[in-house]
């Protein structure tokens, strides 16, 4: 019995660990109101080898304007990704966005990296950066 336990422990150590993959998160920062942009629809897509965009996640920002991840299996291999923010669906009744859609395209290069890609929005402009 002791030998069987030892063999099980040894064989468990030989099982390959899952490969690591990058994490992607985002945040909508509403400068006009000084708050996070709550309930904004965000779609994450990845460009495949043929150059076609494939949707890999679709969520809405939380009450503080954050998306901490894109669902189960939200670990991403290196490649080119884009975030699409549907600002026309932003539920702030005062917001009448000049830019009804914002798309940010970026590269994931580090399999172990965390890619936080927020957008800062105002009535007539937006910017993005790699956060932490």
């Amino acid at each position: 019995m002791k030998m069987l336990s030892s063999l099980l422990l040894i064989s468990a150590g030989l099982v390959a660990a899952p490969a690591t993959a990058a994490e992607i998160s985002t945040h909508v920062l509403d400068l006009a109101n000084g708050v996070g942009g709550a309930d904004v629809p965000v779609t994450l897509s990845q460009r495949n080898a043929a150059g076609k965009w494939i949707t890999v996640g679709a969520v809405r920002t939380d009450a503080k304007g954050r998306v901490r991840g894109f669902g189960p299996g939200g670990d991403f291999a290196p490649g080119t990704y884009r975030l699409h923010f549907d600002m026309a669906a932003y539920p702030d009744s005062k917001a009448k966005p000049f830019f009804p859609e914002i798309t940010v395209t970026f590269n994931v290069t580090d399999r172990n990296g965390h890619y936080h890609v927020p957008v800062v929005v105002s009535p007539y402009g937006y910017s993005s950066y790699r956060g932490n």
Side-chain angles (χ1 to χ4, degrees):
M1 186 69 171
K2 208 172 202 184
M3 175 81 106
L4 180 58
S5 295
S6 296
L7 286 174
L8 287 175
L9 286 174
I10 291 169
S11 65
L14 297 176
V15 175
T20 59
E23 298 172 344
I24 298 173
S25 62
T26 190
H27 192 178
V28 175
L29 302 164
D30 182 338
L31 287 180
N33 294 312
V35 297
D39 207 30
V40 174
V42 183
T43 303
L44 176 66
S45 301
Q46 181 180 22
R47 188 177 351 211
N48 69 12
K52 183 177 178 186
W53 290 104
I54 307 299
T55 298
V56 294
V59 296
R60 294 180 89 89
T61 58
D62 67 15
K64 294 186 178 187
R66 295 186 177 277
V67 173
R68 298 184 191 284
F70 286 87
D75 293 327
F76 302 98
T80 301
Y81 292 84
R82 74 175 176 195
L83 289 167
H84 177 84
F85 301 85
D86 184 357
M87 298 309 294
Y90 184 22
D92 179 355
S93 61
K94 298 175 289 187
K96 294 189 177 20
F98 181 73
F99 296 101
E101 299 177 356
I102 297 171
T103 301
V104 178
T105 304
F106 59 98
N107 289 315
V108 168
T109 57
D110 180 2
R111 202 173 252 299
N112 297 312
H114 177 84
Y115 291 81
H116 184 64
V117 186
V119 292
V120 179
V121 299
S122 66
Y124 295 100
Y126 67 90
S127 66
S128 185
Y129 58 96
R130 181 171 178 187
N132 55 14

